[in-house]
């Protein structure tokens, strides 16, 4: 080809910008323009063996070429109408406004980090928020895995996956609960199938008969929101039949007696009444799980997105602990993160209660360290979470929002409430790669470079930190996230040297600063990551440390070093079906789509295959209501109405409706919060259903926010 | 002539359709492998089988269809007259007519990738190894070995149980 094209084609190793598996791939690029992708077959030890990719990974270039990519900073003249401005104007305005709020009342500001961008900008956004004097900083993990973080912290002392994919492959039993593994993480599911081929048993608990359940040896189809009863029922059998690991419980756990007392009443027959799972299946599942020798429990949003999500996770961890499945290879608990950097954003303190490395803001000693490190006085008050912030805006407490790579209008529970709240904001900054429905409320829009258009480190769901290189040129004037946040930091007056300011020249600088203040990342230097493409599992306390595959080999991270077993009595969903709203609504996702469709919605190959949402309804319910596959139906809850086409199928239980949430089904969901983790209950609420005509559906559709909006932009 | 083929193990297919998207990317927006789902219980991918006694090759009046050294049935576009004969005789309904060029199109087992020593894109990407590429006889031999190993293991287990019972 040389001679015809004097430019050289490059193969750049990057990390897939989609889910939390953290697959590696190569981007073929010519002078910074995309030419295609290549599978990373030649890198040993990466999380996607042999370079395997799912459909999203295969279509990775398409969203980057979207026609409506943001290319210039925008300023709103009125709601939804923008004029183009220059970078210097945009940065000056944002910095000045933030500075003013910081002087009056720092807690009137709210910052959103993003699990879809690198560790470095996430570190910077929480540093900016905290240096401006507020701990109001959070990100979308609040809506998916905050109960995992809080629940695992309560039992084991830290909120991360205790093992790696290798351990899933080596396990003898894999218990998948509230997680459609095959559809949400197809490449991760590879490890489950490999274990199964080796002879491992797979137990799946899910309200739907999912693609994952096809591969189950034992399938427990329980009602949404009855996980506590199911887990307690299994532990009842395990304790009663003396199948638990007595030695492990005696040496390394506390609270076993209380657990035994609490699960006493959860006999399989009693649990059958609550969950709808036959008693003998519960007994069978409990025996299979406890006697396998090596077992992994894996979960995702089906377990966490409940008002009792924190307790669900604690029980799952307790089940793993009493069977002795901790601190060993081939064992562990593995929450599967949905976005590629949920773990990293949590690790780097984009949470209202902790500094980087899960160091509590309320701990005076830790605060003192960061006060000296950053050279400013810091607030010791725990900040607001995502949903709390929406309520605080209504009360007039929060007036300014800085949203980096987030889309709360679609992702937050109870959309109509969020829309009302956002209207009341005085000042809002949205930093993103494409227009989102959230942008409608923005005063300033900052165009960011997409993940493949800049470089940095990412932490996948198994605590593996990897470096992704820049493969392509960003469009127009779009800039990397770290550059934007550091410019705003400098303009806001933080121009000190080193860690005391925002004078960075590259993401490597920022990662070195992270090394200095985050104990788990101490040895994960940019040089090491760049030379080791497979990445390093944290904790990695020094530069010569190889990284840690299995956590808690000696002791847990709780103050006394023991696992604190949870004893929880049964609580159902916050809203249960009644006469007015007789159905139970749950949300699901499709394999080809990702979160709020900002990326996959602009990919032709994916939209062609998964063009629209289909609400799943049981044939008997459908017959009673006169609904056939393809009919338009209206789903109504106490919070809103949503028009959608129906799919009559036996995958759901009678009385349950399942809707994919990518297209904005959160207008329906309940924003009741878990008291500890503050996660909203998006996985279960009461609803009613009516058949409607297509015209009515179109009419209703107008009230639902458009996932791919169009805005009026005046060229500057 | 080594006859290589894409072997499809539908018991492993999770219907993620990664193969379709990969094929579409390699072939200018058209996918030559399709995933079918039936009864919401099982799915299976189907592409050109590159048959041993390929009716499409036999029937082609202009010899536009031919075999390469791996045994893949390829189409020479300059010879194709778009008579649809290959499409009519194919039991799997594989060759399609390109509406713009009025010639037939079909799976070429990614000949451009094989020339570089790589596997077809659909096989390379399949997350669950439901698609395998290789010599037909080798794959059959491997499957027989796997089956025998499993059978031996089960037999051993049975022996242990019966010994204990005695």
């Amino acid at each position: 080809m040389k001679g015809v094209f004097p430019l050289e084609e490059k193969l750049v190793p990057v990390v897939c910008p989609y889910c939390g598996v953290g697959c590696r791939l190569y981007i073929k690029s010519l002078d910074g323009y995309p030419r295609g992708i290549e599978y990373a077959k030649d890198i040993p030890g990466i999380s996607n063996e042999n370079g395997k990719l799912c459909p999203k990974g295969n279509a990775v270039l398409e969203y980057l070429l979207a026609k409506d990519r943001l290319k210039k900073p925008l300023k709103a003249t009125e709601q939804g109408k923008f004029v183009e401005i220059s970078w210097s104007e945009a940065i000056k305005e944002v910095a000045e406004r933030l500075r003013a709020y910081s002087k009056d009342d720092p807690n009137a500001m709210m910052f959103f980090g993003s699990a879809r961008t690198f560790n470095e900008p996430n570190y910077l956004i929480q540093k900016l928020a905290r240096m401006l004097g507020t701990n109001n900083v959070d990100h979308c993990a609040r809506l998916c895995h905050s109960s995992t973080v809080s629940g695992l912290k309560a039992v084991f002392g830290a909120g991360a996956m205790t093992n790696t994919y290798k351990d899933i492959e080596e396990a003898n039993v894999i218990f998948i609960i509230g997680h459609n593994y095959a559809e949400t993480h197809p490449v991760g599911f590879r490890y489950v199938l490999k274990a199964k081929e080796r002879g491992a048993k797979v137990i799946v608990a899910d309200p739907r008969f999912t693609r994952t359940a096809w591969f189950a040896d034992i399938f427990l189809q329980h009602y949404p929101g009855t996980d506590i009863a199911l887990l307690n029922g299994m532990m009842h059998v395990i304790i009663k039949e003396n199948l638990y690991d007595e030695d492990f419980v005696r040496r390394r756990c506390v609270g076993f007696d209380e657990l035994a007392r609490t699960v006493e009443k959860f006999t399989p027959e009693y649990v059958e009444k609550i969950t709808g799972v036959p008693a003998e299946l519960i007994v069978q599942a409990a025996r299979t799980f406890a006697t396998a020798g090596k077992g992994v429990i894996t979960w995702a949003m089906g377990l966490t997105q409940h008002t009792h999500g924190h307790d669900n996770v604690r029980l799952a961890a307790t089940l793993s602990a009493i069977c002795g499945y901790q601190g060993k290879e081939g064992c562990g608990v593995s929450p599967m993160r949905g976005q590629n950097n949920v773990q990293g954003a949590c690790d780097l303190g984009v949470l209202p209660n902790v500094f980087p490395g899960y160091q509590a803001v309320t701990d005076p000693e830790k605060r003192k360290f960061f006060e000296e490190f950053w050279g400013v006085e810091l607030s010791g008050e725990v900040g607001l979470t995502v949903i709390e912030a929406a309520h605080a805006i209504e009360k007039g407490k929060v007036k300014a929002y800085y949203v980096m790579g987030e889309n709360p209008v679609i992702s937050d529970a109870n959309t109509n409430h969020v829309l009302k709240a956002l209207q009341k904001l005085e000042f809002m900054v949205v930093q993103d790669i494409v227009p989102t429905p959230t942008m409608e409320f923005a005063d300033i829009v900052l165009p960011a470079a997409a993940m493949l258009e800049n470089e940095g480190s990412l932490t996948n769901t198994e605590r593996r930190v990897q470096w992704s290189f820049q493969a392509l040129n960003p469009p127009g004037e779009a800039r990397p996230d770290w550059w934007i946040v550091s410019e705003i930091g400098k303009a806001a007056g933080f121009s000190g040297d080193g860690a005391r300011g925002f004078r960075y020249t590259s993401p490597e600088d920022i990662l070195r600063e992270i090394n200095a203040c985050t104990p788990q990342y101490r040895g994960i230097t940019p040089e090491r990551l760049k030379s080791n493409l497979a990445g390093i599992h944290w904790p990695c306390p020094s530069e010569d440390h190889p990284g840690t595959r299995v956590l808690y080999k000696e002791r847990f991270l709780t103050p006394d070093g023991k696992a604190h077993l949870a004893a929880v009595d049964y609580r159902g969903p916050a809203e249960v079906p009644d006469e007015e709203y007789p159905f139970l609504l749950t949300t699901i996702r499709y394999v080809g789509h990702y979160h709020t469709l900002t990326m996959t919605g602009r990919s032709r190959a994916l939209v062609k295959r998964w063009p629209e949402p289909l609400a799943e309804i049981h044939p008997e319910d459908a017959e009673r209501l006169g609904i056939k596959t393809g009919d338009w139906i209206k789903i109504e809850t106490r919070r809103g109405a949503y028009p959608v086409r129906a799919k009559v199928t036996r995958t759901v239980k009678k009385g349950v409706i399942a809707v994919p949430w990518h297209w904005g089904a959160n207008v329906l969901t309940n924003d009741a919060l878990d008291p500890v983790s503050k996660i909203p209950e998006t996985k279960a609420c009461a609803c009613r259903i009516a058949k409607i005509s297509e015209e009515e559906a179109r009419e209703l559709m107008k009230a639902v926010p458009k996932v791919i909006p169009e805005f009026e932009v005046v060229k500057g | 002539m080594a006859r290589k083929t894409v072997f499809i193990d539908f018991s492993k297919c999770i219907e993620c359709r990664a193969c379709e998207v990969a094929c579409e990317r390699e072939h200018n927006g058209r996918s030559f492998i399709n995933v079918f789902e039936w009864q919401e219980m099982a799915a299976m991918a189907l592409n050109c089988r590159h048959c041993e006694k390929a009716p499409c090759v036999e029937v082609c009046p202009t010899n536009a269809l031919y075999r390469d050294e791996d045994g893949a049935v390829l189409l020479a576009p300059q010879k194709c007259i778009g008579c649809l004969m290959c499409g009519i005789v194919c039991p799997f309904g594989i060759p399609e007519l390109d509406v713009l060029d009025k010639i037939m199109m079909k799976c070429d087992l990614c000949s451009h990738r094989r020339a570089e020593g790589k596997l077809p894109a659909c096989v390379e990407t399949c997350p669950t190894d439901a698609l395998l590429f290789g010599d037909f006889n080798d794959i059959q031999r491997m499957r027989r070995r796997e089956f025998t190993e499993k059978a031996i293991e089960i037999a051993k287990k049975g022996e242990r149980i019966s010994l204990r019972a005695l």
Side-chain angles (χ1 to χ4, degrees):
Chain A
M1 288 299 259
K2 260 190 180 172
V4 185
F5 300 109
L7 305 164
E8 208 183 335
E9 198 172 81
K10 275 200 291 189
L11 275 183
V12 186
V14 298
V15 176
C16 175
Y18 289 111
C19 78
V21 176
C23 302
R24 271 221 179 265
L25 67 144
Y26 289 110
I27 302 284
K28 271 195 260 181
S29 68
L30 197 67
D31 194 27
Y33 293 97
R35 297 273 289 171
I37 70 163
E38 195 46 68
Y39 305 97
K41 277 190 88 169
D42 52 348
I43 311 176
I46 50 174
S47 53
N48 57 330
E49 248 189 349
N50 289 331
K52 301 291 184 187
L53 290 176
C54 73
K56 298 190 285 286
N58 270 298
V60 93
L61 289 175
E62 294 186 3
Y63 80 92
L64 296 171
L65 304 172
K67 284 202 184 83
D68 58 349
R69 282 289 300 270
L70 297 170
K71 290 175 187 158
K72 278 202 97 172
L74 305 174
K75 185 182 168 143
T77 47
E78 57 186 284
Q79 191 176 331
K81 285 192 180 155
F82 297 95
V83 284
E84 288 183 348
I85 54 173
S86 72
W87 266 113
S88 54
E89 282 173 83
I91 283 167
K92 192 162 156 256
E93 170 143 7
V94 175
E96 269 170 14
R97 293 291 293 264
L98 293 182
R99 195 78 221 163
Y101 285 112
S102 147
K103 268 192 197 123
D104 300 343
D105 172 20
N107 286 334
M109 289 181 288
M110 178 76 202
F111 289 81
F112 277 89
S114 173
R116 284 143 79 164
T117 182
F118 296 107
N119 284 332
E120 289 77 19
N122 276 306
Y123 171 78
L124 290 187
I125 195 120
Q126 61 88 28
K127 179 175 169 181
L128 179 66
R130 292 190 162 124
M131 284 178 89
L132 285 168
T134 178
N135 280 322
N136 288 349
V137 54
D138 205 359
H139 70 292
C140 56
R142 177 70 47 203
L143 307 167
C144 55
H145 268 299
S146 59
S147 34
T148 299
V149 174
S150 71
L152 286 182
K153 197 167 165 52
V155 180
F156 298 145
M161 187 155 159
T162 62
N163 54 336
T164 61
Y165 290 123
K166 200 106 200 92
D167 296 288
I168 296 182
E169 197 184 323
E170 288 172 12
N172 292 335
V173 62
I174 298 156
F175 182 26
I176 304 171
I177 177 162
H179 183 189
N180 187 356
Y181 213 144
E183 198 147 357
T184 54
H185 304 86
V187 179
F189 193 61
R190 174 185 177 82
Y191 293 93
V192 177
L193 288 183
K194 284 186 108 180
K196 194 174 154 71
E197 253 166 56
R198 243 193 46 244
K201 290 271 181 285
V202 179
I203 307 170
V204 175
D206 202 298
R208 278 171 76 226
F209 188 89
T210 58
R211 305 239 154 91
T212 314
W214 293 355
F215 298 92
D217 294 290
I218 300 169
F219 175 49
L220 316 168
Q221 193 169 18
H222 59 310
Y223 283 111
T226 59
D227 312 82
I228 292 184
L230 185 71
L231 289 165
N232 272 344
M234 282 177 70
M235 286 197 276
H236 172 93
V237 177
I238 291 170
I239 291 172
K240 205 165 159 211
E241 300 189 0
N242 249 333
L243 301 173
Y244 62 96
D245 188 337
E246 237 180 297
D247 178 53
F248 187 89
V249 168
R250 202 177 51 245
R251 278 190 305 117
R252 302 195 51 186
C253 305
V254 289
F256 182 76
D257 296 332
E258 206 198 332
L259 170 70
R261 263 200 308 281
T262 314
V263 299
E264 185 77 55
K265 70 170 181 191
F266 287 90
T267 58
E269 291 72 32
Y270 175 62
V271 175
E272 179 177 342
K273 259 184 236 154
I274 301 173
T275 59
V277 182
E280 58 267 35
L281 268 186
I282 296 168
V283 176
Q284 204 188 335
R287 285 182 189 153
T288 311
F289 185 74
T291 56
K294 285 196 280 185
V296 171
I297 305 182
T298 158
W299 66 83
M301 261 113 274
L303 195 70
T304 59
Q305 287 180 333
H306 288 288
T307 44
H308 44 81
H310 172 77
D311 288 338
N312 283 349
V313 172
R314 274 180 14 179
L315 284 180
T318 302
L319 175 61
S320 169
I322 64 166
C323 295
Y325 295 159
Q326 282 300 326
K328 287 192 278 187
E329 280 168 11
C331 294
V333 290
S334 55
M336 289 301 297
R337 307 327 186 92
Q339 294 171 323
N340 57 357
N341 203 21
V342 174
Q343 187 67 51
C346 291
D347 293 344
L348 295 173
V350 191
L351 296 170
N353 58 342
V354 288
F355 292 122
Y358 303 102
Q359 310 186 60
V361 293
T362 46
D363 185 336
E365 224 171 276
K366 308 271 167 116
R367 197 164 67 240
K368 196 154 162 273
F369 169 81
F370 279 98
E371 281 181 346
E372 274 169 24
F373 190 66
W374 290 333
V376 287
E377 218 170 286
L378 297 173
S379 158
E381 193 187 324
V382 172
L384 294 173
T385 61
V386 172
I387 301 284
E388 283 174 324
H391 289 281
I393 301 170
E394 281 210 307
K395 290 193 198 111
K397 280 188 193 150
V398 167
K399 293 170 190 150
Y401 246 42
Y402 189 124
V403 181
M404 176 174 84
E406 267 294 329
N407 192 5
V409 166
I410 304 289
S411 66
D412 281 13
N414 195 356
T415 304
N416 290 333
H417 176 251
V418 176
L419 289 175
K420 232 186 282 163
L422 290 181
Q423 234 133 23
K424 286 197 175 165
L425 279 175
E426 280 177 14
F427 184 58
M428 181 163 175
V429 183
V430 172
Q431 176 178 329
D432 216 317
I433 59 168
V434 282
T436 64
T438 308
M439 233 181 84
E440 193 181 328
F441 304 96
D443 293 282
I444 299 282
V445 174
L446 304 172
M451 215 200 91
L452 303 177
E453 293 159 356
N454 71 95
E455 59 177 344
S457 67
L458 295 151
T459 311
N460 83 346
T461 184
E462 45 166 3
R463 297 175 277 109
R464 184 200 293 262
V465 189
Q466 302 182 95
W467 190 268
S468 179
F469 292 86
Q470 179 179 3
L472 307 165
N473 297 333
E477 290 181 23
R479 292 276 193 278
D481 290 310
W482 67 265
W483 184 90
I484 301 173
V485 182
S486 64
E487 287 297 310
I488 290 169
K490 269 189 281 184
F494 304 115
S495 55
D497 276 328
R500 293 175 172 236
F502 281 85
R503 288 182 12 192
Y504 304 102
T505 52
S506 66
E508 286 93 331
D509 288 354
I510 307 163
L511 185 54
R512 278 188 208 104
E513 189 178 318
I514 294 170
N515 296 150
C517 69
T518 315
Q520 292 94 325
Y521 282 65
R522 193 138 293 157
I524 305 179
T525 59
E527 293 74 26
R528 268 186 92 184
L529 286 183
K530 282 184 175 182
S531 60
N532 178 8
L533 288 181
I536 305 165
H537 294 282
W538 68 255
C540 174
S542 64
E543 279 203 43
D544 49 6
H545 193 281
T548 313
R549 175 176 153 190
V550 178
L551 296 180
Y552 318 134
K553 274 198 169 153
E554 305 293 326
R555 64 193 301 274
F556 292 101
L557 284 178
T558 47
D560 57 0
K562 304 229 163 134
H564 291 240
L565 303 182
V568 183
D569 209 352
Y570 175 66
R571 277 199 334 272
E575 196 185 70
V576 285
D578 49 28
E579 274 177 17
E580 207 182 339
Y581 294 94
F583 285 95
L584 197 53
L585 177 86
T586 188
T587 54
I588 59 169
R589 62 185 64 204
Y590 286 157
V591 57
H593 280 303
Y594 178 70
H595 295 263
T596 60
L597 286 177
T598 43
M599 286 147 84
T600 50
R602 288 171 172 84
S603 172
R604 208 182 50 86
L606 300 176
V607 172
K608 193 162 112 188
R609 291 183 170 76
W610 294 273
E612 59 169 353
L614 291 173
E616 297 182 357
I617 178 166
H618 192 272
E620 281 180 36
D621 293 328
E623 203 186 302
R624 201 155 41 80
L625 297 164
I627 297 166
K628 280 193 256 350
T629 298
D631 284 349
W632 282 98
I633 57 169
K634 177 172 78 169
I635 305 179
E636 216 175 346
T637 66
R638 292 191 173 85
R639 292 153 295 277
Y642 186 65
V644 64
R645 265 191 231 264
K647 180 183 174 190
V648 180
T649 159
R650 285 185 189 281
T651 53
V652 289
K653 251 184 137 89
K654 222 162 72 173
V656 177
I657 306 283
V659 199
W661 75 280
H662 311 283
W663 283 268
N666 270 329
V667 290
L668 300 169
T669 51
N670 194 351
D671 57 352
L673 294 183
D674 179 287
V676 184
S677 64
K678 310 282 162 68
I679 197 167
E681 183 150 77
T682 33
K683 276 287 180 272
C685 70
C687 71
R688 64 173 169 225
I689 291 155
K691 194 175 153 174
I692 53 171
S693 68
E694 203 169 329
E695 292 81 64
E696 281 174 88
R698 299 235 174 285
E699 199 55 42
L700 277 172
M701 203 79 89
K702 283 179 193 156
V704 180
K706 260 200 184 138
V707 283
I708 298 181
E710 280 167 24
F711 293 113
E712 210 176 295
V713 177
V714 181
K715 303 270 176 204
Chain B
M1 187 171 65
R3 191 166 113 62
K4 291 200 173 165
T5 182
V6 174
F7 187 87
I8 299 171
D9 182 352
F10 81 97
S11 72
K12 282 187 189 165
C13 177
I14 56 171
E15 208 198 335
C16 72
R17 305 174 99 175
C19 50
E20 286 186 11
V21 179
C23 185
E24 201 165 296
R25 192 192 60 239
E26 296 293 328
H27 295 101
N28 296 327
R30 191 182 275 243
S31 170
F32 296 123
I33 185 161
N34 289 293
V35 177
F36 297 99
E37 182 195 22
W38 62 86
Q39 291 183 349
E40 299 159 304
M41 291 293 152
M44 184 179 166
L46 179 67
N47 72 336
C48 172
R49 307 309 308 140
H50 301 269
C51 314
E52 190 75 58
K53 275 169 63 182
C56 56
V57 177
E58 309 210 334
V59 84
C60 180
T62 60
N63 288 337
L65 289 160
Y66 65 102
R67 280 179 195 278
D68 71 359
E69 63 275 20
D70 280 338
V73 174
L74 301 189
L75 181 116
Q78 66 276 32
K79 286 189 190 167
C80 178
I81 54 170
C83 69
L84 306 182
M85 281 301 274
C86 52
I88 292 164
V89 292
C90 176
F92 306 106
I94 294 294
E96 297 167 38
L97 185 73
D98 182 278
V99 254
L100 281 180
D101 293 340
K102 305 282 183 231
I103 57 167
M104 302 306 283
M105 299 177 79
K106 67 179 289 299
C107 164
D108 57 354
L109 287 178
C110 286
S111 58
H112 59 293
R113 289 178 61 89
R114 282 185 290 128
E116 295 173 33
K118 295 173 193 156
L119 297 175
C122 56
V123 178
E124 196 86 273
T125 198
C126 180
T128 57
D129 290 336
L131 303 178
L132 285 178
F133 182 70
D135 183 76
F136 178 76
N137 292 323
D138 288 348
I139 290 177
Q140 290 301 76
R141 210 171 298 132
M142 188 195 79
R143 292 248 302 165
R144 278 198 289 272
R145 198 185 55 231
E146 270 175 18
F147 174 79
T148 323
E149 273 168 11
K150 253 184 211 159
I152 292 171
E153 213 167 276
I154 291 167
K156 273 187 189 159
K157 252 185 213 164
E159 224 167 70
R160 270 206 303 278
I161 294 165
S162 56
L163 281 177
R164 215 182 294 149
L166 288 170

